Amino acid sequence: MTDRRFRARSLALAAVAALGVVAPAAASPAQARPLALVQCQGTESDAYDPGVVFQPRNFEITTTGRFTSCLGGGDVTSGSYDERFTILAGCNDLLDGFQSARTVTWNTGEASVIEGTGSSTAVAGQVVTTFTGTVTSGPFTGRSAVQLIALPQPNLLMCLTTGFTGATGVTTLTIT
């Protein structure tokens, strides 16, 4: 009887050990990322220095974006991005296409880099920019991203005088 108990225990231990080797380990909460659509809503503010006028000239753009509500991203519920760059443009050619690598820092402390291209159109008194790319690092790596940004069009009077110095509008980021 002792021999049978020993064999039963040995078989039970072997089965448990085999399951431990074969069964995949559960992902830790920090690594787990939902596969569902992630959508973030927020605002973007752009400041132009010096102001944008009709005659094209170099000016610096400081962009501050805040996603105040993100759904479908698990622990990711908000995020932000800040950029500063210089371009040569005027009020008439703010709609040119561009390439960018945008870094979004999430409420979790992690950051995602989205590399892509953008273009803008003027629609009903707004400049609507569509930035389309791929998340190349951080949470959601390998997934597609589309950001829409709607800012008021430059004021014609300001373009003719001191220059258009900034705008704030709404933005939506969708990660699929």
Side-chain angles (χ1 to χ4, degrees), residues 19-30:
L19 286 175
V21 171
V22 175
S28 70

Side-chain angles (χ1 to χ4, degrees), residues 19-168:
L19 286 175
V21 171
V22 175
S28 70
Q31 294 173 333
R33 292 285 178 229
L35 296 177
L37 173 91
V38 178
Q39 191 163 53
C40 299
Q41 306 288 326
T43 59
E44 179 175 298
S45 295
D46 294 343
Y48 313 113
D49 184 29
V52 184
V53 295
F54 274 111
Q55 181 66 35
R57 65 179 174 183
N58 283 317
F59 59 93
E60 185 176 78
I61 300 176
T62 302
T63 299
T64 302
R66 301 288 176 255
F67 298 116
T68 55
S69 173
C70 295
L71 300 174
D75 292 339
V76 170
T77 58
S78 62
S80 63
Y81 56 94
D82 296 294
E83 297 175 346
R84 180 174 282 172
F85 52 94
T86 300
I87 66 169
L88 172 67
C91 285
N92 282 338
D93 59 1
L94 281 174
L95 305 180
D96 290 347
F98 62 92
Q99 290 186 330
S100 181
R102 173 159 284 172
T103 301
V104 179
T105 302
W106 304 109
N107 62 290
T108 60
E110 300 169 288
S112 294
V113 175
I114 304 169
E115 294 183 20
T117 59
S119 63
S120 300
T121 56
V123 179
Q126 298 182 78
V127 174
V128 178
T129 300
T130 303
F131 177 63
T132 304
T134 302
V135 180
T136 59
S137 68
F140 316 113
T141 296
R143 294 172 68 179
S144 297
V146 176
Q147 184 178 6
L148 295 174
I149 306 150
L151 299 172
Q153 270 186 295
N155 178 304
L156 181 61
L157 185 57
M158 293 177 108
C159 287
L160 290 170
T161 58
T162 60
F164 186 69
T165 58
T168 297

